[in-house]
Amino acid sequence: MRILSILAMLLLAVQITVAKAGEPDDSIQAVIADQLSAFQSNDLDRAFSHASPGIQQIFQTPRRFGEMVESGYPMVWRPASYRWLKIVQTDFGPVQVVLFEDSRGRLHEAGYLMEQVNGVWRINGVKLRPAEGYGA
């Protein structure tokens, strides 16, 4: 009987862990939201501070980073709107999926690969694709 109780508790713990894996993480969303806010106010230092060390090494300066985002990710630079979708666990880390609407009303799905550095979430890359199956 005691073994059954232990097994039931372990099963419950596994189910809770699996359920939480797909739920949005407030701390991850806070980092992404603050970076988006920093882009809106042209605070490139703050936006750059949310990038992982690897991304910072690639771009070297907040200005270069900002230029890349402005030219390559205009829907992230100045979104008309955005909303949180799911979080997906990958072998490379969690990916927060965000649905962006650009200034022309087109929808884009962005997957934010996150990396934890000294206990703080950092953005380690963003993969964009046209969003399909969402109403505007």
Side-chain angles (χ1 to χ4, degrees):
M1 189 71 160
R2 183 179 167 120
I3 292 174
L4 286 177
S5 294
I6 292 171
L7 285 174
M9 289 174 59
L10 285 173
L11 241 156
L12 181 61
V14 168
Q15 287 175 334
I16 290 170
T17 301
V18 170
K20 289 191 82 55
E23 293 176 3
D25 183 317
D26 291 342
S27 59
I28 286 175
Q29 290 178 356
V31 168
I32 297 168
D34 193 59
Q35 186 180 66
L36 294 171
S37 174
F39 289 142
Q40 291 290 314
S41 62
N42 294 315
D43 186 345
L44 299 181
D45 290 330
R46 192 171 98 223
F48 194 57
S49 75
H50 293 302
S52 70
I55 298 297
Q56 290 179 351
Q57 186 175 11
I58 291 168
F59 292 99
Q60 298 290 305
T61 69
R63 182 186 56 77
R64 284 186 186 156
F65 178 69
E67 288 170 352
M68 178 277 299
V69 174
E70 184 177 10
S71 65
Y73 298 79
M75 70 291 297
V76 172
W77 180 255
R78 295 288 188 267
S81 67
Y82 69 90
R83 69 179 158 133
W84 308 113
L85 298 179
K86 61 189 172 194
I87 196 163
V88 179
Q89 297 297 329
T90 73
D91 291 341
F92 303 102
V95 172
Q96 173 67 61
V97 182
V98 182
L99 184 66
F100 284 94
E101 181 182 0
D102 68 20
S103 61
R104 295 182 180 159
R106 294 178 298 199
L107 298 177
H108 308 268
E109 196 175 276
Y112 280 77
L113 176 61
M114 304 301 292
E115 174 184 324
Q116 214 165 33
V117 179
N118 298 323
V120 176
W121 287 111
R122 299 282 188 88
I123 300 165
N124 197 33
V126 178
K127 183 175 182 177
L128 282 175
R129 69 180 189 153
E132 298 175 8
Y134 298 100

